[in-house]
Amino acid sequence: MRYSTSLASAGLFQLAFGLPAPQMTYEDNKGDVGGVDPPIPTYVGAPVGDLRGSTNLQGGIASRPPVDGGDSAVVPDPELVNGQEADSKLGLYLDFNSAEYPNGPQPIRGGLGGTDPGPRTYEYEKLNPDIYAPPETDQGTVPQSMWPLGLSHNLFGVGEESGWARQQNQDVLPVATEMAGVDMRLAPNAYRELHWHTSGEWALVLKGSVRVAAIDSDGASFVDDVTAGDVWFFPQGVPHSLQALHEGAEFLLIFDSGTFSETDTFLATEMLMRTPISVWAKDLQTDVSSFDNIPDAEKYIFNGTPAPANISEQNITSSAGALWGPTGYTYHWSQQEFHNTTGGSVKILDPLTFPIADMFSAALVVLEPGAMREVHWHTSSDEWSYFLQGSARITVYNAPAASQTFDFTAGDVGYIQKAAGHYVENTGTEDVIFLEVLQATKFSDISAAQWLALTPRQIIKDTLNLTDEVLDAIPKEKTLIKPGNPNMTAIAVDGHP
């Protein structure tokens, strides 16, 4: 109490609560490792000892460790979770959250693998069980297909808590050659400053509401308000601005270039600063003194004046008029009802209903626990996906004989190359919500099940050795979603999904 009183009197009470705390501990990352026995004794004084050892430590000269009774890598009583001892080709989802330190989780599946004495970070293993203990069906080499945006560097806006943005592009996910993504947050009334891109920008509002404004090359103008679940699209080169409304906003931006970077955006502030003032005076037909107070740095994301509630106050037009309907830059996707089916729901947005986004097609998918987006592939486009909620896994099959299974949670980006077979399976106890985005004039895919159902039966039986009973049960219509048992290890007991 005396300590708190003295801090308060010195005006440092709040500072005390911000003092550095000990670093996080990661369970079993302690003890002997790599020939080091921490904690090493604290030493104060002049440096002592040599940096390099004696040549007498070379192999064949130095003493050897004992064959038995020396340093141990044995993990006593390893803990296995439900499904780990099942046939590894079943590829059951392994819930490592139930494994407890210090004996689990372990990279073992169906008798394959072995224990892990460390070093390790348990939270990574619990988030990525199919990486840590992969199904036996995973073979060969598949490009890294998952990137958590939580590992992307966050770029803050200017001013007090105005917002931030983080991105995924080929720098962090090299396989993503055709699309990149940005997660952006704007504080209430904050702006993403006036700008344009060399790439097309398709956006889904995740939370809050945004006022968007733009003009096209004919001088037709556009202004609209969008909210969570709505979409906007700006073709490459179209100048636009984004302002969060009174409750703030977070939105997802997808660009039609894998090399896109937020730092390469064309900015109105920079254009003003990088062009002679005399030119601007002539261009805007005004005195040079009009530019005495122009910004001396880009504004990027910054706090602003609240937008008027009456949007018509900001609807400024030329003789070219206003953009609306099929030429407008927004689509109120939040007002579209879902297509509901057993196991989940789907809704699609593509140029058939949002023609301005002529090469962006998307599906918003909800999977119930145990359900999965059926095995499929896309014929004309890579797939960029983003997980909004829940946990899931995807196995990516690449020709001719490679596959790898990746695990996803909310905030993760997935990328699957054109023609690669894959599915999305809900591995959690809550609904999974994810977005699929294609560079295509129509959202479409090939359903593996439908292909088998509609191919002459003799061909299927001769090729895959499937029985008539199995083939009779496959629906001839595309189902998009397959229901399943939320208990994802039960199939090892009764054989039924």
Side-chain angles (χ1 to χ4, degrees):
M1 187 67 182
R2 188 183 311 157
Y3 172 68
S4 299
T5 304
S6 62
L7 282 174
S9 63
L12 298 175
F13 190 79
Q14 294 298 323
L15 177 60
F17 285 93
L19 294 175
Q23 292 184 359
M24 293 179 65
T25 57
Y26 293 94
E27 294 180 324
D28 201 33
N29 286 335
K30 56 183 179 288
D32 300 357
V33 63
V36 181
D37 183 12
I40 61 174
T42 301
Y43 176 79
V44 178
V48 296
D50 296 327
L51 291 173
R52 294 175 177 82
S54 167
T55 56
N56 290 332
L57 301 180
Q58 294 170 355
I61 301 175
S63 61
R64 298 179 177 87
V67 174
D68 184 44
D71 191 73
S72 177
V74 173
V75 176
D77 303 318
E79 178 187 356
L80 302 183
V81 303
N82 287 341
Q84 270 190 278
E85 295 179 283
D87 184 345
S88 57
K89 288 186 178 179
L90 279 175
L92 303 177
Y93 180 74
L94 305 177
D95 183 6
F96 282 156
N97 288 304
S98 62
E100 296 183 359
Y101 162 82
N103 299 328
Q106 298 295 338
I108 295 172
R109 189 188 280 268
L112 300 176
T115 58
D116 183 356
R120 53 196 294 197
T121 302
Y122 286 75
E123 294 307 315
Y124 290 161
E125 296 151 10
K126 291 179 178 181
L127 283 172
N128 300 282
D130 290 292
I131 297 293
Y132 192 55
E136 188 179 346
T137 47
D138 279 15
Q139 297 289 328
T141 301
V142 171
Q144 175 64 27
S145 301
M146 186 275 286
W147 176 258
L149 277 175
L151 292 183
S152 290
H153 179 75
N154 229 342
L155 183 59
F156 292 164
V158 301
E160 184 175 355
E161 296 186 11
S162 59
W164 47 260
R166 53 190 179 182
Q167 68 182 8
Q168 163 277 315
N169 56 22
Q170 278 193 275
D171 290 345
V172 295
L173 193 61
V175 70
T177 58
E178 303 302 318
M179 285 173 273
V182 173
D183 176 20
M184 185 172 289
R185 163 74 163 137
L186 298 181
N189 308 310
Y191 291 98
R192 172 66 169 102
E193 76 157 281
L194 293 158
H195 65 283
W196 69 97
H197 309 285
T198 57
S199 302
E201 173 186 309
W202 191 99
L204 173 69
V205 183
L206 301 175
K207 291 182 179 293
S209 300
V210 182
R211 179 161 295 174
V212 301
I215 69 164
D216 69 6
S217 57
D218 294 325
S221 58
F222 181 83
V223 61
D224 195 14
D225 291 340
V226 287
T227 193
D230 291 343
V231 168
W232 72 72
F233 175 75
F234 296 118
Q236 62 181 20
V238 167
H240 55 280
S241 69
L242 310 170
Q243 183 179 20
L245 298 184
H246 303 342
E247 303 300 322
E250 182 175 355
F251 43 87
L252 187 68
L253 306 167
I254 300 97
F255 296 90
D256 54 10
S257 170
T259 59
F260 173 86
S261 175
E262 267 288 285
T263 59
D264 294 335
T265 297
F266 292 91
L267 304 171
T269 52
E270 291 287 354
M271 183 175 65
L272 197 63
M273 291 186 289
R274 308 305 164 200
T275 305
I277 295 300
S278 61
V279 172
W280 280 117
K282 183 181 296 184
D283 194 68
L284 302 183
Q285 293 292 288
T286 187
D287 190 83
V288 293
S289 62
S290 301
F291 303 96
D292 289 347
N293 297 316
I294 64 172
D296 58 5
E298 71 172 72
K299 288 193 168 182
Y300 183 49
I301 293 172
F302 65 101
N303 293 310
T305 303
N310 184 358
I311 196 172
S312 63
E313 295 179 23
Q314 295 187 326
N315 188 13
I316 304 170
T317 59
S318 70
S319 59
L323 299 167
W324 61 281
T327 62
Y329 293 129
T330 59
Y331 189 89
H332 292 262
W333 206 16
S334 63
Q335 298 178 33
Q336 177 183 328
E337 297 294 330
F338 276 94
H339 166 80
N340 298 310
T341 186
T342 305
S345 304
V346 183
K347 61 179 177 180
I348 288 172
L349 178 61
D350 59 22
L352 296 179
T353 50
F354 191 33
I356 193 71
D358 59 346
M359 284 299 292
F360 273 87
S361 296
L364 189 61
V365 183
V366 181
L367 298 177
E368 297 171 5
M372 70 177 219
R373 174 81 163 88
E374 68 173 345
V375 178
H376 66 283
W377 59 92
H378 303 286
T379 60
S380 60
S381 172
D382 294 356
E383 175 185 319
W384 189 97
S385 56
Y386 180 80
F387 287 81
L388 284 72
Q389 180 177 297
S391 60
R393 67 174 180 171
I394 298 174
T395 297
V396 179
Y397 160 65
N398 274 356
S403 67
Q404 185 170 331
T405 305
F406 300 90
D407 300 286
F408 296 83
T409 55
D412 290 349
V413 171
Y415 196 89
I416 300 156
Q417 293 174 300
K418 178 172 57 179
H422 60 284
Y423 63 89
V424 182
E425 183 179 33
N426 186 339
T427 57
T429 57
E430 305 294 335
D431 287 353
V432 161
I433 305 172
F434 69 96
L435 179 72
E436 298 180 46
V437 180
L438 310 178
Q439 289 290 292
T441 57
K442 178 183 177 182
F443 190 92
S444 64
D445 60 37
I446 296 292
S447 159
Q450 188 180 43
W451 179 40
L452 298 181
L454 298 179
T455 299
R457 184 159 296 194
Q458 172 193 332
I459 299 173
I460 300 299
K461 293 171 69 175
D462 287 350
T463 304
L464 301 178
N465 298 331
L466 295 177
T467 66
D468 285 320
E469 182 182 10
V470 170
L471 298 175
D472 287 342
I474 303 175
K476 294 179 175 60
E477 302 301 326
K478 187 179 298 186
T479 55
L480 297 177
I481 292 173
K482 305 290 187 182
N485 190 339
N487 181 348
M488 300 190 70
T489 59
I491 193 171
V493 178
D494 58 26
H496 297 294

